[in-house]
Amino acid sequence: MDYYQVLNSRQSEDLSVIKRRYQDLLLKHHPDKNGGVESLLFQQVREAWSHLSSPERRQQYDAQLYRAQLDQDSAVWCTLDLTQFRQSGGDYSFECKCSGVYEIDQEQLDDLRKDGDSDCLIACDSCSLSVLVTLDNR
Ligand SMILES: [Zn+2]
């Protein structure tokens, strides 16, 4: 089960946003509104929240998701740092071997850094490869 999915949330969202969704779901699926029956969804919502509401547990879960993503996305072509990207304005790009391109912009980078991420995966715009970009170099 994907805790973010259960809470209709995304990994990048703030806890306060996720909390609002959680409260909405909790009300909607509360046993009192379902003839006293604790639905599976209600249990999942509570379980998901118990993991995401604690910063440590959320961090562990994020790391777990990240590893799963890496495993699944076995097609990580290489690891790069930003200095290897071509920079123009606030955009960074790197050419894939398929001649597609990996792109990230300054705003996305700022967001990632704000979230404390030290690396991120960028998908090629025309094939199934990804590159792992390390961000902690500046
Ligand atoms: Zn490509």
Side-chain angles (χ1 to χ4, degrees):
M1 139 164 103
D2 180 329
Y3 298 140
Y4 289 102
Q5 217 174 328
V6 169
L7 297 177
N8 294 329
S9 302
R10 282 194 308 255
Q11 209 174 341
S12 57
E13 286 175 325
D14 281 345
L15 190 60
S16 58
V17 177
I18 300 177
K19 187 173 185 178
R20 265 201 305 278
R21 303 244 169 72
Y22 162 69
Q23 287 167 336
D24 287 349
L25 286 165
L26 206 58
L27 274 178
K28 198 168 141 196
H29 299 289
H30 197 279
D32 287 352
K33 298 199 171 180
N34 294 284
V37 178
E38 201 171 280
S39 67
L40 179 64
L41 195 58
F42 181 75
Q43 293 168 18
Q44 288 179 339
V45 163
R46 288 208 310 185
E47 189 189 336
W49 178 247
S50 79
H51 281 266
L52 299 185
S53 58
S54 141
E56 296 87 57
R57 292 182 83 179
R58 185 176 177 186
Q59 207 169 38
Q60 278 172 14
Y61 181 61
D62 283 350
Q64 188 187 321
L65 277 186
Y66 182 63
R67 276 194 303 273
Q69 191 188 6
L70 278 184
D71 286 346
Q72 183 186 30
D73 234 339
S74 51
V76 173
W77 176 30
C78 59
T79 302
L80 299 167
D81 70 58
L82 277 176
T83 58
Q84 292 167 277
F85 279 63
R86 191 171 49 230
Q87 194 181 350
S88 103
D91 296 325
Y92 294 82
S93 59
F94 186 85
E95 197 177 314
C96 181
K97 61 183 175 185
C98 78
S99 83
V101 78
Y102 300 99
E103 280 178 315
I104 190 161
D105 63 34
Q106 194 61 53
E107 203 179 321
Q108 290 170 299
L109 288 170
D110 290 345
D111 279 350
L112 289 164
R113 291 205 182 94
K114 206 171 65 194
D115 290 346
D117 291 334
S118 57
D119 46 27
C120 74
L121 274 178
I122 306 177
C124 172
D125 68 353
S126 66
C127 75
S128 62
L129 291 172
S130 298
V131 289
L132 185 64
V133 183
T134 56
L135 304 172
D136 53 354
N137 58 324
R138 56 171 85 179

